[in-house]
Amino acid sequence: MNANHVRELGQATVSGSLPFPDIVGKLIAEGVEYYHVDYVALHINFYSTEGAVVIVPLNFENLPQVAPNFDSSALISAILDSQKNNQKFRDFSRRSTQHEYHHRQPACPSPIRLSHRELSPHKFAPMLDAH
Protein backbone atom coordinates (compact mmCIF):
# COMPACT_ATOMS: atom_id res chain seq x y z
CA MET A 1 0.00 0.00 0.00
CA ASN A 2 1.41 3.36 -1.03
CA ALA A 3 0.70 5.48 2.06
CA ASN A 4 1.15 8.78 0.20
CA HIS A 5 -1.35 7.79 -2.48
CA VAL A 6 -3.84 6.51 0.10
CA ARG A 7 -3.42 9.78 2.02
CA GLU A 8 -4.12 11.75 -1.19
CA LEU A 9 -7.22 9.66 -1.82
CA GLY A 10 -8.36 10.28 1.76
CA GLN A 11 -7.90 14.01 1.25
CA ALA A 12 -9.85 13.78 -2.03
CA THR A 13 -12.65 12.09 -0.08
CA VAL A 14 -12.72 14.93 2.44
CA SER A 15 -12.52 17.69 -0.19
CA GLY A 16 -14.95 16.02 -2.58
CA SER A 17 -12.55 16.58 -5.48
CA LEU A 18 -13.08 13.10 -6.99
CA PRO A 19 -16.23 10.97 -7.32
CA PHE A 20 -16.36 8.53 -4.43
CA PRO A 21 -16.72 5.39 -6.60
CA ASP A 22 -13.45 6.38 -8.33
CA ILE A 23 -11.76 6.83 -4.96
CA VAL A 24 -12.97 3.41 -3.78
CA GLY A 25 -11.63 1.73 -6.91
CA LYS A 26 -8.23 3.37 -6.38
CA LEU A 27 -8.20 2.41 -2.69
CA ILE A 28 -8.86 -1.22 -3.60
CA ALA A 29 -6.08 -1.07 -6.20
CA GLU A 30 -3.76 0.17 -3.42
CA GLY A 31 -4.64 -2.84 -1.25
CA VAL A 32 -6.99 -1.05 1.17
CA GLU A 33 -9.33 -3.63 2.65
CA TYR A 34 -11.47 -1.32 4.79
CA TYR A 35 -11.66 2.11 6.37
CA HIS A 36 -13.14 3.59 9.51
CA VAL A 37 -14.36 7.16 9.82
CA ASP A 38 -14.02 8.37 13.42
CA TYR A 39 -16.28 11.40 13.87
CA VAL A 40 -15.22 11.79 17.51
CA ALA A 41 -11.44 11.87 16.93
CA LEU A 42 -11.98 13.47 13.48
CA HIS A 43 -9.91 11.18 11.30
CA ILE A 44 -10.26 8.36 8.77
CA ASN A 45 -8.22 5.16 9.18
CA PHE A 46 -7.47 3.14 6.03
CA TYR A 47 -6.41 -0.48 6.65
CA SER A 48 -4.52 -2.65 4.16
CA THR A 49 -4.78 -6.39 3.70
CA GLU A 50 -1.25 -6.63 5.18
CA GLY A 51 -2.19 -4.74 8.37
CA ALA A 52 -0.80 -1.29 7.51
CA VAL A 53 -2.78 1.78 8.59
CA VAL A 54 -2.92 5.24 7.02
CA ILE A 55 -4.59 7.99 9.06
CA VAL A 56 -6.07 11.05 7.36
CA PRO A 57 -7.38 14.03 9.36
CA LEU A 58 -11.06 14.81 8.98
CA ASN A 59 -10.90 18.61 8.80
CA PHE A 60 -14.52 19.73 8.57
CA GLU A 61 -15.47 23.05 10.08
CA ASN A 62 -18.82 23.25 11.87
CA LEU A 63 -19.35 19.50 11.95
CA PRO A 64 -22.09 18.81 14.51
CA GLN A 65 -21.13 17.01 17.70
CA VAL A 66 -21.70 13.28 17.49
CA ALA A 67 -25.13 12.40 18.81
CA PRO A 68 -25.42 10.12 21.87
CA ASN A 69 -27.71 7.53 20.22
CA PHE A 70 -27.04 5.13 17.35
CA ASP A 71 -29.63 4.31 14.69
CA SER A 72 -28.21 1.69 12.31
CA SER A 73 -31.27 1.66 10.02
CA ALA A 74 -31.05 5.42 9.51
CA LEU A 75 -27.31 5.18 8.81
CA ILE A 76 -27.83 2.45 6.20
CA SER A 77 -30.55 4.59 4.59
CA ALA A 78 -28.19 7.57 4.49
CA ILE A 79 -25.46 5.45 2.88
CA LEU A 80 -27.84 4.15 0.24
CA ASP A 81 -29.15 7.66 -0.39
CA SER A 82 -25.59 8.89 -0.86
CA GLN A 83 -24.88 6.10 -3.33
CA LYS A 84 -27.95 6.85 -5.42
CA ASN A 85 -27.68 10.64 -5.36
CA ASN A 86 -23.89 11.12 -5.26
CA GLN A 87 -24.02 13.10 -2.05
CA LYS A 88 -20.65 14.66 -1.13
CA PHE A 89 -18.86 13.10 1.84
CA ARG A 90 -18.91 16.42 3.73
CA ASP A 91 -22.72 16.59 3.43
CA PHE A 92 -23.07 12.94 4.40
CA SER A 93 -20.84 13.51 7.44
CA ARG A 94 -22.83 16.52 8.60
CA ARG A 95 -26.08 14.66 8.06
CA SER A 96 -24.93 11.49 9.79
CA THR A 97 -23.54 13.17 12.90
CA GLN A 98 -26.47 15.48 13.52
CA HIS A 99 -29.14 12.82 13.04
CA GLU A 100 -27.86 10.39 15.65
CA TYR A 101 -26.58 7.72 13.26
CA HIS A 102 -23.36 7.44 15.24
CA HIS A 103 -22.70 7.40 18.95
CA ARG A 104 -19.85 8.14 21.27
CA GLN A 105 -18.60 4.62 21.98
CA PRO A 106 -15.73 4.12 19.51
CA ALA A 107 -16.03 0.33 19.28
CA CYS A 108 -19.62 0.24 18.05
CA PRO A 109 -19.64 2.00 14.64
CA SER A 110 -18.42 -0.67 12.25
CA PRO A 111 -15.78 -0.03 9.61
CA ILE A 112 -16.81 -0.07 5.99
CA ARG A 113 -15.39 -3.11 4.19
CA LEU A 114 -14.53 -2.66 0.54
CA SER A 115 -15.79 -5.56 -1.52
CA HIS A 116 -13.90 -6.32 -4.73
CA ARG A 117 -16.87 -8.29 -6.04
CA GLU A 118 -19.44 -5.56 -5.51
CA LEU A 119 -17.45 -2.65 -6.95
CA SER A 120 -18.06 -1.45 -10.46
CA PRO A 121 -17.14 1.90 -12.05
CA HIS A 122 -20.74 3.06 -11.62
CA LYS A 123 -21.66 1.54 -8.28
CA PHE A 124 -20.12 1.45 -4.85
CA ALA A 125 -21.74 -1.04 -2.50
CA PRO A 126 -20.06 -1.06 0.91
CA MET A 127 -20.53 -4.05 3.09
CA LEU A 128 -21.37 -3.03 6.64
CA ASP A 129 -19.42 -5.19 9.01
CA ALA A 130 -21.79 -6.57 11.64
CA HIS A 131 -19.50 -6.83 14.65
Side-chain angles (χ1 to χ4, degrees):
M1 175 168 77
N2 180 328
N4 288 330
H5 192 226
V6 171
R7 198 170 291 111
E8 289 170 3
L9 292 168
Q11 292 166 347
T13 300
V14 173
S15 72
S17 62
L18 290 173
F20 194 60
D22 294 351
I23 292 170
V24 170
K26 292 176 182 189
L27 288 170
I28 289 172
E30 283 294 336
V32 173
E33 181 181 6
Y34 65 98
Y35 65 93
H36 179 210
V37 180
D38 188 330
Y39 287 109
V40 176
L42 297 177
H43 58 77
I44 306 171
N45 295 345
F46 295 91
Y47 300 90
S48 77
T49 54
E50 293 84 29
V53 180
V54 174
I55 300 171
V56 176
L58 186 58
N59 297 323
F60 287 155
E61 293 181 18
N62 302 319
L63 188 66
Q65 184 176 10
V66 175
N69 300 315
F70 180 72
D71 183 344
S72 62
S73 297
L75 179 59
I76 291 169
S77 294
I79 290 169
L80 294 174
D81 186 41
S82 293
Q83 291 172 341
K84 291 178 184 176
N85 299 315
N86 297 319
Q87 178 173 238
K88 297 284 185 188
F89 179 68
R90 177 182 297 265
D91 296 332
F92 170 80
S93 295
R94 185 176 296 112
R95 185 176 157 195
S96 66
T97 55
Q98 72 187 12
H99 287 103
E100 301 187 6
Y101 302 142
H102 298 280
H103 63 82
R104 298 181 197 290
Q105 296 177 14
C108 195
S110 298
I112 303 296
R113 299 236 178 238
L114 304 181
S115 171
H116 299 258
R117 290 165 286 184
E118 296 188 30
L119 181 69
S120 74
H122 305 289
K123 176 184 174 190
F124 168 60
M127 298 175 66
L128 295 176
D129 197 12
H131 286 267

